[in-house]
Amino acid sequence: MKIDILIKNGLILKFDKKPTLNNIAITDGKILEIGTNLEQKYKAKLIIDATEKIVMPGFVNTHSHVAMSYFKGLADDLPLQEWLTKHIWPVEEKFLSEEFVKDAAIHGCAEMIKNGITTFNDMYFFGDQTAGSVEKIGIRAVLGEGVLDFPVANYQNADEIFAYIRKMHDKYKKSELIDFAVAPHAIYTCGKENLIKSKDLALELGILLHIHLSETKQEVDDCIKKTGLRPVEYLDSLGFFEGDVVVAHAIWLDESEQNILAKNNSSIAINTSSNLKIASGFDSFKSYLEHGVNLSIGTDGVASNNNLSMLQEISLTAKLQKALNNDPTILPAKEMIQIATIGGAKALNKNNQIGSIEVGKKADIIIVDTDCIEAQPMYDPYSHLVYSLASEQIKDVIINGKIVMKNRKLVNIDENEIIEKAKYYQRKIMEFNHIK
Amino acid sequence: MKIDILIKNGLILKFDKKPTLNNIAITDGKILEIGTNLEQKYKAKLIIDATEKIVMPGFVNTHSHVAMSYFKGLADDLPLQEWLTKHIWPVEEKFLSEEFVKDAAIHGCAEMIKNGITTFNDMYFFGDQTAGSVEKIGIRAVLGEGVLDFPVANYQNADEIFAYIRKMHDKYKKSELIDFAVAPHAIYTCGKENLIKSKDLALELGILLHIHLSETKQEVDDCIKKTGLRPVEYLDSLGFFEGDVVVAHAIWLDESEQNILAKNNSSIAINTSSNLKIASGFDSFKSYLEHGVNLSIGTDGVASNNNLSMLQEISLTAKLQKALNNDPTILPAKEMIQIATIGGAKALNKNNQIGSIEVGKKADIIIVDTDCIEAQPMYDPYSHLVYSLASEQIKDVIINGKIVMKNRKLVNIDENEIIEKAKYYQRKIMEFNHIK
């Protein structure tokens, strides 16, 4: 039988058993078989020799703003309000357009793949343009169109955005790679009416709700002052958690809020780098785990993070949690890798399709080199992934059964073209900002 | 005039002015000139085109255990005592030998260079063997021979170690790359007598003192109980800070201790990854900075960290400090880069020779690629180094005027040989540990 890809001799990370050397047959976008002697059984169009390599599910990044690529490192080490109002919002107001989003999104998607991300859950504007870039590069995405009470991008009001989401949902419903989602920006930018409309639309279309929540203490205090309820309680009072919900950040939750999320199978996208860097704060996730809240990992946008390395994100999160809890055993390496893969898949209600290496699942797989000084010796691949390795070692990326990065070179796009475009926008943004 | 190396068209990070495109002429181990038109003026044996690259001083890693390479990832996510007594000490007891240290040290040195480290300040045993590996690979090092009250490695007592340090100091005194140092392990493994002898020897030979200090709260509590003094006060009462001192970790200091360090020009080696991962704790460094304590960055050994990425370490440290102080402006990117370079050089009392790019200083220089998707666009090279880039982008490393890594390939050693040796020791350690 002819198949698309055969991965041979890789150290395969299946979460239900010990890492084992094995082969994977991939065809029609899916994992057809995992086993020995597959090279005899199948004739593959592409054979990837994964000797001395880890073969694992791709990372699922559950909170991003992919088209903010060109704002990476534009302004740092500043108070949040100054950063937003004096730097980010002015350039967004000036530059945000369909063309800009298309270009910036392909840059962001390229950077995601370089970091082993095979699916991302985005929140931004002009999702149709992002979708075009997503399909071009071949990554999997859930594209949350931002909903706010005031005019943004090319929308005059939230109702226009809801109409747009309906249209996009319809346009991409047969896409193998793209889902749309409703992304009310936050409880401080969306009033009750638009939060409820967002939720109703998501339920009607059976799509995800994606919201920033409890990112700062200020947000929590303001919510209590205004509604008498904490943010999760407030959203719960609106029936917000009836569908599939990802709340991003969520570092200021009390136990009752954790209970609400757990009870509703809602998920948290942890964004440790961004939270620390902007000094939004941090929280121990021990109680979240004990309450059974599903955790996943987000990178946030590169304007605040400023990179898309999931390996850095899980390393940072694991280490910080150990210190915060005065307990080096919390969030061990294997659990962190699960949170960043199947945890993310669960958050997006896609754990039947992606997030682990299983026969019948979509082939979203990354291959990590261990035949290098940084990875040797290796006693435990999970430990190395979380504590020792970096994206440099992620060599090949397969998404939906197609190879999109081979030996760190992107397959479907010209990297130099992307770099030149970034430089072009950089010049324009610097001119606008009068940076000399 | 003939010179060794010409670096042309690089974005040069000199801390006293804005990053500027320029050329650097290097000869006889030193920076001869920085300026335009150097290509016409000098005939270089090697020309490095640094177009679209950052040219900066190499990182100075002020706390490491370079020969612990083969214990990387051997045991993680464990309580400190279990990790030490059940995993690290047994394998050290079994395997530590001259041969082992020589092999493990070259692995560690190779990994340091891959991470842009041009000088490291080590603490371990069998320094003569480490020195051999250091010279072979061409890195700069201060080799602190560990002093403990009980027999270790091949020493029966501390006096043997002091004699060894004298011998090594003499043997390597003409070395361009190597200094020896006295490294009393900690106040809980060295009694008053050996701490004073360590200090006296360091003062006599004019070499560095390097000690673990106030890494855990337990250590502080025990010290107070035993001596009535906090650790820094206790060492001060012994005259320990009269010479050049690097204290590693130091996350449990009060203000009076910070004052003592500042007054004595003693330096701290910050080891954030290790402290978080083992759950030793963390401290805000705001007060340290206000008291004028010189800060530098250490990676600690790979048995606890588990990598040698200085970029990861400065990124983590900067972000954590912002969150701890609820202040995103603390430790801005340029300051972090200075801490990791000239701060480290100051800690080792070598800031007249290394740590910045200045005419007359040793040419310890790293070249970082920015012509890649992860680094584009680029508004500020300092921001990118701290928040966006990883060691993957460190392409070339020059130490003492000689190129030791070219386009991420080590020049003076065979990387495959090092990898094979690591696998050999891994098998032996796994056999010993009955890891299946």
Side-chain angles (χ1 to χ4, degrees):
Chain A
M1 181 187 167
K2 277 192 177 173
I3 59 167
D4 293 331
I5 300 176
L6 179 77
I7 302 172
K8 66 173 191 179
N9 298 330
L11 184 65
I12 297 179
L13 301 195
K14 275 176 67 51
F15 301 134
D16 53 356
K17 55 176 178 172
K18 283 183 87 168
T20 318
L21 286 178
N22 220 333
N23 307 299
I24 301 179
I26 294 167
T27 209
D28 296 331
K30 289 182 179 167
I31 296 170
L32 178 68
E33 191 175 346
I34 304 167
T36 50
N37 295 324
L38 298 188
E39 216 173 345
Q40 286 82 341
K41 193 166 171 188
Y42 299 110
K43 198 172 157 52
K45 280 183 229 162
L46 173 68
I47 294 177
I48 299 174
D49 185 354
T51 305
E52 304 276 358
K53 293 192 167 91
I54 296 168
V55 178
M56 60 175 285
F59 292 116
V60 179
N61 176 3
T62 55
H63 181 61
S64 64
H65 308 290
V66 73
M68 292 185 82
S69 301
Y70 297 149
F71 307 142
K72 174 169 62 188
L74 178 63
D76 298 294
D77 305 324
L78 295 170
L80 180 61
Q81 281 311 309
E82 187 183 340
W83 173 75
L84 258 183
T85 58
K86 294 204 178 153
H87 297 272
I88 299 303
W89 286 350
V91 291
E92 280 191 328
E93 197 184 322
K94 169 77 183 173
F95 290 100
L96 223 56
S97 69
E98 295 193 347
E99 183 76 9
F100 181 91
V101 166
K102 179 177 73 83
D103 292 338
I106 202 144
H107 190 111
C109 290
E111 205 168 328
M112 294 236 191
I113 292 173
K114 291 251 169 180
N115 287 294
I117 295 163
T118 51
T119 297
F120 68 98
N121 182 42
D122 208 59
M123 179 193 287
Y124 211 59
F125 309 106
F126 298 109
D128 197 12
Q129 275 61 44
T130 304
S133 297
V134 162
E135 290 195 320
K136 187 173 176 196
I137 206 157
I139 196 168
R140 196 181 301 283
V142 179
L143 301 176
E145 196 72 18
V147 176
L148 296 97
D149 285 349
F150 40 87
V152 276
N154 58 347
Y155 318 107
Q156 288 314 301
N157 56 54
D159 287 337
E160 282 185 29
I161 302 175
F162 296 132
Y164 181 81
I165 294 171
R166 275 181 195 283
K167 212 171 109 188
M168 290 303 117
H169 175 69
D170 198 55
K171 178 171 176 183
Y172 290 98
K173 72 182 166 204
K174 287 192 181 150
S175 167
E176 284 271 318
L177 295 173
I178 292 160
D179 290 287
F180 265 74
V182 191
H185 172 264
I187 56 171
Y188 54 89
T189 45
C190 278
K192 195 180 276 195
E193 191 188 332
N194 282 328
L195 288 168
I196 293 172
K197 280 186 181 174
S198 292
K199 181 261 297 182
D200 288 342
L201 181 62
L203 280 176
E204 182 198 329
L205 302 179
I207 61 180
L208 191 76
L209 276 168
H210 179 187
I211 190 169
H212 291 115
L213 197 74
S214 296
E215 180 174 1
T216 63
K217 187 164 181 301
Q218 186 69 44
E219 179 187 339
V220 178
D221 293 344
D222 289 349
C223 181
I224 293 171
K225 206 187 256 175
K226 206 172 126 194
T227 68
L229 297 168
R230 297 181 62 87
V232 173
E233 295 168 339
Y234 167 62
L235 283 181
D236 194 36
S237 77
L238 308 180
F240 196 82
F241 297 110
E242 286 169 34
D244 298 322
V245 182
V246 172
V247 297
H249 301 290
I251 46 172
W252 296 93
L253 306 191
D254 72 7
E255 293 198 32
S256 119
E257 292 178 287
Q258 295 164 29
N259 260 329
I260 293 170
L261 293 182
K263 203 180 64 195
N264 288 285
N265 285 317
S266 299
S267 296
I268 290 176
I270 298 171
N271 295 260
T272 306
S273 280
S274 166
N275 295 336
L276 296 182
K277 182 162 172 283
I278 308 179
S280 303
F282 44 76
D283 197 5
S284 156
F285 293 131
K286 190 175 184 181
S287 162
Y288 293 47
L289 289 164
E290 285 166 358
H291 284 80
V293 183
N294 182 53
L295 299 180
S296 65
I297 302 287
T299 55
D300 209 350
V302 287
S304 50
N305 178 332
N306 310 344
N307 66 64
L308 298 173
S309 169
M310 288 290 278
L311 286 175
Q312 181 187 300
E313 212 53 39
I314 59 179
S315 178
L316 175 55
T317 301
K319 288 174 196 163
L320 179 66
Q321 290 300 319
K322 288 168 201 301
L324 287 178
N325 290 286
N326 191 23
D327 178 4
T329 70
I330 197 174
L331 289 172
K334 185 177 175 186
E335 192 172 341
M336 279 311 305
I337 293 294
Q338 288 176 294
I339 287 173
T341 54
I342 192 71
K346 241 185 243 173
L348 308 182
N349 195 17
K350 288 182 172 293
N351 47 317
N352 289 327
Q353 302 162 57
I354 59 168
S356 59
I357 294 187
E358 310 285 346
V359 170
K361 275 198 170 180
K362 306 278 189 187
D364 287 8
I365 292 173
I366 64 176
I367 301 179
V368 184
D369 185 29
T370 62
D371 206 28
C372 58
I373 286 168
E374 295 89 333
Q376 288 298 331
M378 183 170 79
Y379 300 96
D380 174 2
Y382 289 109
S383 162
H384 263 25
L385 287 164
V386 177
Y387 302 122
S388 297
L389 303 184
S391 295
E392 178 178 13
Q393 279 90 28
I394 300 171
K395 298 297 182 190
D396 305 321
V397 175
I398 296 165
I399 301 174
N400 208 42
K402 294 193 175 61
I403 187 135
V404 297
M405 183 171 80
K406 185 91 198 90
N407 203 21
R408 292 203 69 60
K409 282 271 162 268
L410 296 171
V411 171
N412 298 326
I413 52 151
D414 178 343
E415 290 188 32
N416 286 328
E417 210 173 273
I418 286 181
I419 291 169
E420 288 313 311
K421 205 153 255 177
K423 289 177 188 170
Y424 162 80
Y425 281 106
Q426 175 186 324
R427 281 190 298 273
K428 294 189 42 142
I429 291 169
M430 284 173 84
E431 267 170 41
F432 173 69
N433 269 357
H434 305 292
I435 300 175
K436 272 143 222 125
Chain B
M1 181 186 165
K2 277 191 177 175
I3 59 167
D4 293 332
I5 301 176
L6 179 77
I7 302 171
K8 65 175 193 179
N9 298 330
L11 185 65
I12 298 178
L13 301 195
K14 275 176 67 50
F15 300 135
D16 53 356
K17 53 176 179 173
K18 286 183 86 168
T20 318
L21 287 177
N22 220 334
N23 307 298
I24 301 179
I26 294 168
T27 209
D28 295 330
K30 290 184 178 167
I31 297 172
L32 176 69
E33 190 175 347
I34 304 167
T36 50
N37 294 323
L38 299 188
E39 217 173 343
Q40 285 82 339
K41 193 167 170 186
Y42 298 111
K43 199 172 156 55
K45 281 184 228 161
L46 173 68
I47 294 177
I48 300 174
D49 185 354
T51 305
E52 303 277 355
K53 292 191 168 94
I54 296 168
V55 178
M56 60 175 286
F59 291 117
V60 179
N61 176 1
T62 55
H63 182 60
S64 65
H65 307 289
V66 73
M68 293 185 80
S69 302
Y70 297 149
F71 308 142
K72 175 170 61 189
L74 178 63
D76 297 294
D77 304 325
L78 295 171
L80 179 61
Q81 281 309 310
E82 186 182 339
W83 173 77
L84 257 183
T85 59
K86 295 205 178 152
H87 297 272
I88 299 304
W89 286 349
V91 291
E92 280 191 328
E93 197 183 322
K94 169 77 182 169
F95 290 99
L96 223 55
S97 69
E98 295 194 347
E99 183 76 8
F100 181 91
V101 166
K102 178 176 73 85
D103 292 339
I106 203 145
H107 189 111
C109 289
E111 205 168 331
M112 295 238 191
I113 292 174
K114 291 251 171 181
N115 287 294
I117 295 164
T118 51
T119 297
F120 67 98
N121 182 42
D122 208 58
M123 179 193 286
Y124 211 58
F125 309 107
F126 298 108
D128 197 12
Q129 276 61 44
T130 304
S133 297
V134 162
E135 289 195 321
K136 186 172 177 197
I137 207 158
I139 196 169
R140 195 182 300 284
V142 179
L143 301 176
E145 196 71 20
V147 177
L148 297 98
D149 284 348
F150 40 87
V152 277
N154 57 348
Y155 318 108
Q156 288 314 301
N157 56 54
D159 287 337
E160 281 186 29
I161 302 174
F162 296 132
Y164 181 81
I165 295 171
R166 273 180 197 284
K167 210 171 109 187
M168 289 304 117
H169 174 68
D170 198 53
K171 178 170 176 185
Y172 290 97
K173 71 181 167 203
K174 287 194 181 149
S175 168
E176 283 273 319
L177 296 173
I178 292 161
D179 290 286
F180 265 75
V182 191
H185 172 265
I187 56 171
Y188 54 89
T189 45
C190 278
K192 197 180 278 196
E193 191 189 332
N194 282 327
L195 288 169
I196 292 173
K197 281 186 181 175
S198 292
K199 181 259 299 182
D200 288 343
L201 180 63
L203 280 177
E204 182 198 330
L205 301 179
I207 62 179
L208 192 76
L209 276 169
H210 179 187
I211 189 168
H212 291 115
L213 197 74
S214 295
E215 180 173 2
T216 63
K217 189 166 178 302
Q218 186 70 46
E219 179 188 339
V220 178
D221 293 345
D222 290 349
C223 181
I224 293 171
K225 204 188 257 173
K226 207 172 125 195
T227 68
L229 297 168
R230 297 181 63 87
V232 173
E233 294 168 338
Y234 167 62
L235 284 181
D236 194 34
S237 76
L238 308 180
F240 197 82
F241 297 110
E242 286 169 35
D244 298 322
V245 182
V246 172
V247 298
H249 301 291
I251 48 172
W252 297 93
L253 306 191
D254 72 6
E255 291 198 33
S256 119
E257 293 178 286
Q258 294 163 29
N259 260 330
I260 293 171
L261 294 182
K263 203 180 62 195
N264 288 285
N265 286 316
S266 299
S267 296
I268 290 176
I270 300 171
N271 295 260
T272 307
S273 281
S274 166
N275 295 336
L276 296 181
K277 181 161 171 285
I278 308 177
S280 303
F282 44 75
D283 196 4
S284 156
F285 293 132
K286 191 176 180 178
S287 161
Y288 294 47
L289 290 165
E290 286 166 356
H291 285 80
V293 183
N294 181 53
L295 300 181
S296 65
I297 302 288
T299 56
D300 210 350
V302 288
S304 50
N305 178 329
N306 305 351
N307 66 63
L308 298 175
S309 169
M310 288 289 278
L311 285 175
Q312 182 187 298
E313 212 54 38
I314 57 179
S315 179
L316 174 55
T317 301
K319 289 175 194 162
L320 179 67
Q321 290 299 319
K322 288 168 201 298
L324 287 178
N325 290 287
N326 190 26
D327 177 4
T329 70
I330 198 174
L331 288 173
K334 185 179 175 185
E335 192 172 340
M336 280 310 306
I337 293 295
Q338 289 177 293
I339 287 173
T341 53
I342 191 73
K346 243 185 243 173
L348 308 182
N349 194 17
K350 287 182 173 293
N351 48 316
N352 289 328
Q353 301 161 58
I354 58 168
S356 60
I357 294 188
E358 309 287 344
V359 171
K361 275 198 170 181
K362 307 275 189 190
D364 286 9
I365 292 173
I366 64 176
I367 300 179
V368 184
D369 185 29
T370 62
D371 205 29
C372 58
I373 286 168
E374 295 89 333
Q376 289 297 331
M378 182 170 80
Y379 300 97
D380 174 2
Y382 290 109
S383 161
H384 264 24
L385 287 164
V386 177
Y387 303 122
S388 296
L389 302 184
S391 295
E392 178 178 13
Q393 278 90 29
I394 300 171
K395 298 298 179 188
D396 304 321
V397 175
I398 295 165
I399 301 175
N400 208 41
K402 295 194 175 59
I403 186 131
V404 297
M405 184 169 81
K406 185 90 200 93
N407 204 21
R408 291 203 69 60
K409 284 272 162 271
L410 296 172
V411 171
N412 299 325
I413 52 152
D414 178 344
E415 291 189 32
N416 287 328
E417 210 174 273
I418 287 181
I419 291 168
E420 287 315 310
K421 204 152 254 176
K423 289 178 187 168
Y424 162 81
Y425 281 106
Q426 176 185 323
R427 281 190 299 275
K428 293 189 45 142
I429 290 169
M430 286 174 83
E431 266 170 41
F432 172 69
N433 268 358
H434 304 293
I435 300 174
K436 271 142 224 127

